[in-house]
């Protein structure tokens, strides 16, 4: 088994590499490929990073290979994490890049990799997309390669966050909560309250617990509530009271915290790279386990779920072959409306970004 | 893992490698095959006479049964090993 990390010199890529070695996912005869660009800092820094990894994990280190051109990528699982990210404090004198600028920049980075994997790959690679906007980059890879082997991380990570936040609100462990977030990895997230189950809770106990903690009585009200509470948090953070902003954040409903949490983390000057890397490696472990597992992930649909076509966060069954099909999870009327709204939002943005 | 190596219906593939003649080279090369459930049908080693930059080189000819796509990925994987100078 070989794993390639595109964008290995970035902070998320480095955390992924470190966690892969820490968890001994690869045998000493397997290969971890660190992929960077021949121009730019990664061309030299990756050699130093490799040395650091060898120093840290000498006893059980796999072969660590460095590739500086897209055509050199050879692996069974390819983690796409190259690209820029939204960061409000990246340049203090300049405004942060808009989401449209980010999309255009990251799309241009992704295309040569998608083309190379299609041309030089052997057709059995699984591509896990971490780079945002995840729907756009999933579309880029699926345009060139087998769409069933392209999986976007957004909804998977949102679902992990949702489970954690629900668990926190009702005082149980995350492992005890099953829940999914579908739709867009961004403002168009669709938290599926109807999918929430809590180990040890009866249906009526779960329903009562949900009523007490969710942000709004129906899913269609969620975007408005999210917007209102996020604006409130931003105002506190912008006034320089970061501690107060996080204290207020802790009192928000769990579905709102799913969205506001990463935003506030970035706003504070920190990154979400550790959580993203951990979630990605968890997904890799699920794939390597050989078991069919149901997860929420961004995939390019062709009518398999609610007759939707295009990239969107959907419930899928993953296996060592990629995603085998969708899992027919029932949605409430409100969730379905929210999901279709997210699909439309994604398609509008893709039209703009692909123009 | 399913072992496809003994399926006589599969085409016989040949990969020729120029490798550095040093301890561990053969182990790394055979691991690429074994990690993917492929058994080598034959392996021949010829020592090259001329060292390159004072590194002694050997030529390995490896035969195995598998589809063309398997040869492609195996060949590409082998070419990523530091000890492999050339794979064809």
């Amino acid at each position: 088994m070989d794993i390639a990390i595109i964008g290995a010199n970035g902070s998320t890529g480095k955390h992924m590499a470190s966690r892969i070695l820490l968890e001994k996912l690869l045998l000493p005869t397997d290969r971890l490929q660190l992929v960077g660009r021949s121009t730019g800092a990664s061309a030299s820094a990756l050699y130093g990073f490799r040395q650091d990894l060898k120093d840290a994990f000498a006893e059980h280190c796999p072969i660590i290979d460095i590739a500086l051109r897209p055509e050199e990528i050879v692996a069974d699982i390819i983690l796409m994490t190259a690209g820029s990210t939204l960061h409000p404090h990246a340049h203090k004198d300049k405004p942060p890049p808009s989401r449209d600028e980010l999309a255009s920049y990251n799309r241009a980075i992704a295309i040569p990799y998608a083309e190379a994997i299609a041309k030089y790959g052997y057709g059995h690679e699984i591509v896990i997309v971490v780079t945002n906007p995840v729907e756009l980059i999933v579309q880029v890879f699926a345009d060139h390669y087998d769409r069933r082997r392209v999986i976007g991380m957004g909804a998977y990570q949102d679902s992990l966050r949702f489970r954690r936040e629900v668990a926190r609100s009702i005082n149980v462990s995350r492992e005890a909560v099953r829940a999914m977030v579908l739709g867009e990895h961004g403002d168009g997230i669709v938290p599926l309250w109807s999918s929430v189950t809590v180990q040890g809770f009866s249906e009526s106990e779960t329903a009562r617990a949900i009523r007490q903690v969710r942000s709004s009585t129906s899913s269609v009200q969620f975007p408005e509530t999210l917007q209102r509470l996020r604006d409130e948090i931003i105002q506190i953070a912008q006034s320089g009271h970061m501690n107060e902003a996080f204290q207020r954040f802790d009192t928000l409903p769990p579905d709102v915290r799913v969205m506001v949490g990463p935003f506030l983390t970035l706003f504070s000057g920190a990154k979400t790279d550790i959580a993203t890397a951990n979630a990605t490696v968890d997904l890799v472990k699920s794939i390597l386990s050989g078991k069919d597992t149901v997860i929420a992930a961004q995939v390019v649909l062709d009518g398999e779920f609610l007759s939707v076509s295009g990239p969107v966060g959907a419930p899928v069954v993953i296996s060592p072959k990629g995603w085998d099909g969708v899992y027919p999870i029932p949605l409430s009327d409100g969730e379905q409306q929210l999901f279709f709204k997210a699909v439309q939002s994604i398609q509008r943005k893709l039209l703009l970004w692909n123009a | 893992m399913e072992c496809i190596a003994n399926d006589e219906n599969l085409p016989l593939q040949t990969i020729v490698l120029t490798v550095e003649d040093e301890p561990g080279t053969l182990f790394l090369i055979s691991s690429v095959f074994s990690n993917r459930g492929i058994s080598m049908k034959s392996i021949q080693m010829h020592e090259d006479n001329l060292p390159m930059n004072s590194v002694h080189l050997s030529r390995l000819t490896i035969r195995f049964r598998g589809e063309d796509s398997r040869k492609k990925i195996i060949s590409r994987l082998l070419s990523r090993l530091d000890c492999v100078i050339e794979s064809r």
Side-chain angles (χ1 to χ4, degrees):
Chain A
M1 177 62 59
D2 295 348
I3 298 176
I5 304 174
I6 305 175
N9 197 42
S11 55
T12 307
K14 281 182 173 165
H15 282 297
M16 283 175 186
S18 171
R19 171 115 194 255
I20 287 167
L21 297 196
L22 194 63
E23 298 224 4
K24 301 180 187 172
L25 294 190
L26 297 173
L27 300 169
T29 54
D30 289 336
R31 201 169 44 92
L32 175 66
Q33 191 172 44
L34 308 176
V35 185
R37 283 190 282 180
S38 55
T39 55
S42 58
S44 57
L46 280 182
Y47 291 95
F49 181 45
R50 171 168 68 177
Q51 186 58 36
D52 195 24
L53 289 174
K54 283 180 177 174
D55 282 346
F57 301 100
E59 287 75 20
H60 48 82
C61 199
I63 299 165
I64 303 180
D65 178 26
I66 290 172
L68 298 178
R69 292 195 306 270
E71 58 270 28
E72 291 176 348
I73 296 173
V74 195
D76 303 288
I77 296 180
I78 298 167
L79 309 177
M80 171 61 187
T81 181
S84 189
T85 186
L86 281 177
H87 206 275
H89 298 295
H91 303 283
K92 283 195 183 299
D93 302 332
K94 284 195 291 183
S98 72
R99 205 168 162 79
D100 293 342
E101 285 169 336
L102 178 82
S104 162
Y105 180 76
N106 287 352
R107 180 176 176 271
I109 288 178
I111 288 174
Y113 290 112
E115 287 174 345
I117 292 164
K119 186 173 178 184
Y120 300 103
Y122 71 123
H124 295 271
E125 297 90 346
I126 293 178
V127 180
I128 298 178
V129 176
V130 179
T131 308
N132 282 317
V134 66
E135 289 85 7
L136 173 69
I137 308 301
V138 163
Q139 178 79 71
V140 166
F141 277 89
D143 281 347
H144 293 84
Y145 188 62
D146 182 355
R147 70 184 174 99
R148 294 285 184 131
R149 291 181 177 274
V150 182
I151 300 169
M153 274 297 299
Y156 182 76
Q157 195 175 1
D158 289 338
S159 298
L160 286 177
R161 283 189 178 124
F162 187 40
R163 285 173 55 203
R164 191 179 84 86
E165 297 299 354
V166 170
R168 194 148 72 98
S169 286
I170 60 176
N171 284 316
V172 296
S173 70
R174 178 164 75 179
E175 289 75 23
V177 176
R178 291 177 68 89
M180 272 193 185
V181 172
L182 307 183
E184 184 186 10
H185 183 52
D187 286 351
I189 63 163
V190 184
L192 297 190
W193 282 105
S194 66
S195 74
V196 174
T197 61
V198 185
Q199 192 183 354
F201 280 40
S202 68
E203 278 185 29
S204 61
E205 283 172 328
T206 307
R208 195 177 309 121
I210 288 172
R211 266 200 307 276
Q212 283 171 358
V213 300
R214 72 180 287 181
S215 64
S216 40
T217 47
S218 78
S219 291
V220 285
Q221 294 168 333
F222 172 68
E224 193 189 316
T225 312
L226 171 63
Q227 184 68 48
R228 181 169 48 79
L229 293 173
R230 185 168 55 186
D231 288 350
E232 187 192 319
I233 292 281
I234 290 172
Q235 223 170 3
I236 302 171
Q238 276 179 331
S239 66
H241 301 103
M242 199 52 75
N243 187 26
E244 196 186 316
F246 274 98
Q247 280 174 354
R248 174 72 182 104
F249 165 77
D250 284 338
T251 67
L252 298 178
D255 46 359
V256 174
R257 287 203 301 265
V258 171
M259 263 305 289
V260 176
F263 183 82
L264 194 56
T265 303
L266 290 173
F267 203 90
S268 74
K271 289 182 176 182
T272 57
D273 45 3
I274 300 175
T276 304
N278 277 6
T280 310
V281 175
D282 279 346
L283 181 56
V284 171
K285 282 166 73 178
S286 291
I287 292 170
L288 293 181
S289 75
K291 298 175 196 158
D292 286 356
T293 312
V294 177
I295 63 161
Q298 264 72 16
V299 297
V300 174
L301 293 173
D302 187 18
E304 294 98 337
F305 185 67
L306 299 174
S307 304
V308 166
S309 293
V312 66
V316 292
V317 182
I318 56 156
S319 75
K321 289 181 172 181
W323 63 278
D324 288 339
V326 300
Y327 184 76
I329 190 169
L331 272 54
S332 71
D333 288 349
E335 289 165 353
Q336 210 170 104
Q337 276 186 48
L338 215 55
F339 182 76
F340 287 130
K341 227 171 124 180
V343 170
Q344 285 171 359
S345 161
I346 293 166
Q347 286 172 351
R348 268 198 309 274
K349 287 173 188 171
L350 287 180
L351 274 177
L352 182 72
W353 293 335
N354 287 321
Chain B
M1 185 180 283
E2 183 191 4
C3 180
I4 61 164
N6 295 326
D7 190 339
E8 297 298 325
N9 295 324
L10 289 168
L12 192 63
Q13 306 284 3
T14 304
I15 290 179
V16 180
L17 302 172
T18 306
V19 301
E20 290 179 9
D21 184 4
E22 59 183 19
T25 292
L26 203 53
F27 170 70
L28 288 173
I29 289 167
S30 61
S31 296
V32 170
F33 285 84
S34 64
N35 284 351
R36 281 156 198 280
I38 295 175
S39 175
M40 299 176 193
K41 293 301 255 185
S42 71
I43 178 164
Q44 286 175 299
M45 181 180 273
H46 308 277
E47 195 176 355
D48 274 11
N49 291 328
L50 290 173
M52 186 188 76
N53 298 332
S54 41
V55 176
H56 284 275
L57 301 180
S58 293
R59 183 161 295 128
L60 285 178
T61 305
I62 302 167
R63 292 193 173 83
F64 65 98
R65 290 202 177 272
E67 291 170 359
D68 291 348
S69 62
R70 301 280 279 186
K71 180 184 175 184
K72 184 180 172 187
I73 183 67
I74 291 289
S75 183
R76 295 198 73 216
L77 287 168
L78 290 169
S79 70
R80 300 305 303 170
L81 295 174
D82 286 345
C83 59
V84 174
I85 308 297
E86 189 185 18
S87 167
R88 57 195 164 83

